[in-house]
Amino acid sequence: MFPKKPPMGFNTWNTFGENISDEMIRQTADAMVEKGLRDAGYEYLVIDDCWSEKQRDPVTDKIVPLKSKFPNGMKAVSDYVHSKGLKFGMYSCAGVRTCADYPGSYDHEFLDAKTFAEYGADFLKYDFCYKPEHADGPMLYRRISMALENCGRDILLSACNWGCDDVHKWIRSTAAGMYRSTGDIFDSFVSFRDIFLSQLAHTDANTPGCFNDIDMLTCGMRNFGNVASTGCTDTEYRTEFALWCMLGAPLMLGCDVRKIDDVTLKLVTNKGLLRINQDGECRSLFVAHEDCNNLRNVYARLLSDHEIALMFTNLCDDKGAAWFTPDCIGVTANAGKVLQLTDAFTGEDAGIVKEYKRVELDAHDCAVFIAKVVDA
Ligand code: GAL
């Protein structure tokens, strides 16, 4: 499947790990609707690892949902998710076992794709653990691509090989609609900072149809659950969300959306930030001004309607300023033009930039603007 905009949704892994169940998925579906997340664009509800029995069915060879967690089978869960106007996502692995040691799809790709189609799945996250040594990684993503493309249902392939085998170079020749390019995120500032910075070398590798996935968001986790670490402040979650939006990365929520707090809900449904993330032109982010070893950069991205997203970052551990001049993005000093800014977080007018813009920022904070080029 070829998504035209970065996919948005929720994935169980960050908070729940193996503690998933029919009930928890139904409650999450309810919450996604009641809290307005579905209407904001978060449409996929994805079950990650640990959903199946430890062995395949000895007769059919199919993967079987774990009875104790999913007593009604997967089709019933999927039907419920669909009844809420959401899409349903499953998880498997290119190797012989999943990362948490459940059956993987190696050499069962066509059978499993058919099984997921029978469940009514719309999305498949496809991991990379327990790959037989002789098997070629890219070929395994080609196999599952073929199987999904021919399973009779539109299923978005979400590849997850953590950036191995130079994934940026070949993944767009498979049917993957998004692909993980980084190791696992944890709920800490350092974790999301390093994940984001690792992709500065690959900003051109994020395109419609095949989006660069830098992992599920930790926003609002408040250091609870499976990928807990040091936790983040609200300022840090704000910066994390803005970085993902600026890159045009898929937005998969990882907090417990049944208990999402108001600050996080407001953040992840922010119209200005989502407008940047979901911009139909899907252009690449670029560094407009580099400072402090990339820790105080200003980023820019051309948007539709001749607008430009600008993000001023302070990823340093102390207060400081990020700055740029309009000619950093191509507006020359003698052009007779200035930049008219709107604060993306608040929607408020943020004035005009003539020659220079400097934003003082607390440690780990950011500012995001939507700019227009207007006559001076
Ligand atoms: C990792 C993957 C995580 C999660 C986990 C499940 O390989 O990167 O996002 O899916 O496996 O075991």
Side-chain angles (χ1 to χ4, degrees):
M1 198 192 142
F2 190 90
K4 297 204 174 66
K5 294 181 178 184
M8 295 170 63
F10 161 85
N11 175 301
T12 53
W13 185 253
N14 279 6
T15 293
F16 298 94
E18 65 176 353
N19 299 316
I20 49 179
S21 68
D22 178 307
E23 192 189 15
M24 171 259 138
I25 297 295
R26 288 176 199 245
Q27 289 171 352
T28 299
D30 292 346
M32 287 172 79
V33 177
E34 280 157 21
K35 315 227 177 225
L37 289 164
R38 178 196 64 190
D39 291 347
Y42 295 93
E43 59 176 349
Y44 290 101
L45 196 172
V46 181
I47 298 180
D48 207 286
D49 207 347
C50 310
W51 60 269
S52 78
E53 299 281 355
K54 283 278 183 172
Q55 304 302 334
R56 288 175 177 270
D57 182 296
V59 177
T60 64
D61 214 18
K62 285 182 163 183
I63 308 188
V64 187
L66 186 59
K67 256 245 143 42
S68 57
K69 292 179 183 172
F70 297 100
N72 310 306
M74 247 349 148
K75 180 70 168 57
V77 181
S78 162
D79 285 347
Y80 189 81
V81 169
H82 286 140
S83 77
K84 294 282 161 175
L86 295 162
K87 294 182 176 166
F88 182 62
M90 289 297 308
Y91 164 98
S92 190
C93 184
V96 290
R97 305 288 289 174
T98 71
C99 300
D101 197 22
Y102 293 78
S105 290
Y106 180 77
D107 220 12
H108 292 78
E109 291 85 355
F110 280 73
L111 173 63
D112 291 353
K114 189 165 157 274
T115 305
F116 296 134
E118 285 164 5
Y119 292 168
D122 308 293
F123 182 110
L124 177 68
K125 174 170 170 182
Y126 205 60
D127 220 329
F128 202 51
C129 287
Y130 296 102
K131 178 181 84 66
E133 225 162 83
H134 66 272
D136 176 68
M139 182 47 76
L140 296 185
Y141 284 95
R142 290 194 200 291
R143 277 201 211 165
I144 194 65
S145 289
M146 270 313 163
L148 289 176
E149 293 286 294
N150 293 287
C151 74
R153 204 178 153 85
D154 243 355
I155 300 182
L156 190 157
L157 171 59
S158 167
C160 178
N161 85 339
W162 326 298
C164 295
D165 298 327
D166 283 332
V167 69
H168 303 92
K169 291 190 180 156
W170 52 267
I171 195 68
R172 280 171 289 156
S173 67
T174 71
M178 57 193 258
Y179 65 102
R180 266 277 294 286
S181 51
T182 63
D184 287 14
I185 200 165
F186 288 88
D187 189 17
S188 79
F189 169 75
V190 171
S191 174
F192 79 70
R193 177 197 69 192
D194 290 352
I195 282 177
F196 175 81
L197 293 177
S198 77
Q199 293 310 295
L200 285 184
H202 302 292
T203 51
D204 57 340
N206 192 41
T207 58
C210 195
F211 291 94
N212 184 357
D213 172 14
I214 52 175
D215 212 351
M216 286 86 72
L217 294 156
T218 61
C219 300
M221 284 187 65
R222 311 226 170 266
N223 214 22
F224 172 80
N226 192 40
V227 302
S229 173
T230 59
C232 293
T233 63
D234 280 334
T235 298
E236 291 165 342
Y237 284 141
R238 206 172 93 101
T239 297
E240 178 186 7
F241 190 66
L243 289 170
W244 264 231
C245 286
M246 282 297 288
L247 189 69
L251 298 178
M252 303 300 287
L253 302 172
C255 66
D256 183 348
V257 297
R258 301 171 307 176
K259 299 183 185 151
I260 194 168
D261 59 86
D262 291 346
V263 178
T264 307
L265 185 59
K266 208 169 150 210
L267 173 68
V268 300
T269 56
N270 180 285
K271 287 205 164 60
L273 271 291
L274 290 178
R275 180 247 184 284
I276 295 171
N277 178 263
Q278 295 286 295
D279 188 74
E281 293 185 357
C282 300
R283 297 198 186 276
S284 302
L285 165 102
F286 65 95
V287 178
H289 185 251
E290 185 182 325
D291 204 0
C292 198
N293 276 330
N294 286 323
L295 296 182
R296 290 205 177 114
N297 284 357
V298 177
Y299 297 101
R301 183 142 77 93
L302 302 189
L303 304 175
S304 50
D305 297 331
H306 314 295
E307 294 186 326
I308 306 141
L310 294 173
M311 178 174 184
F312 292 69
T313 59
N314 180 14
L315 306 184
C316 293
D317 296 335
D318 46 7
K319 275 184 183 224
W323 64 272
F324 90 132
T325 56
D327 66 293
C328 294
I329 60 165
V331 181
T332 47
N334 61 1
K337 305 282 183 186
V338 293
L339 297 175
Q340 167 83 58
L341 302 189
T342 303
D343 186 313
F345 282 109
T346 63
E348 281 165 18
D349 182 353
I352 289 223
V353 186
K354 284 192 185 129
E355 286 154 11
Y356 176 72
K357 172 90 179 165
R358 179 186 163 89
V359 184
E360 299 289 339
L361 294 164
D362 285 339
H364 305 174
D365 202 0
C366 69
V368 183
F369 303 100
I370 294 180
K372 271 184 186 300
V373 179
V374 298
D375 289 339

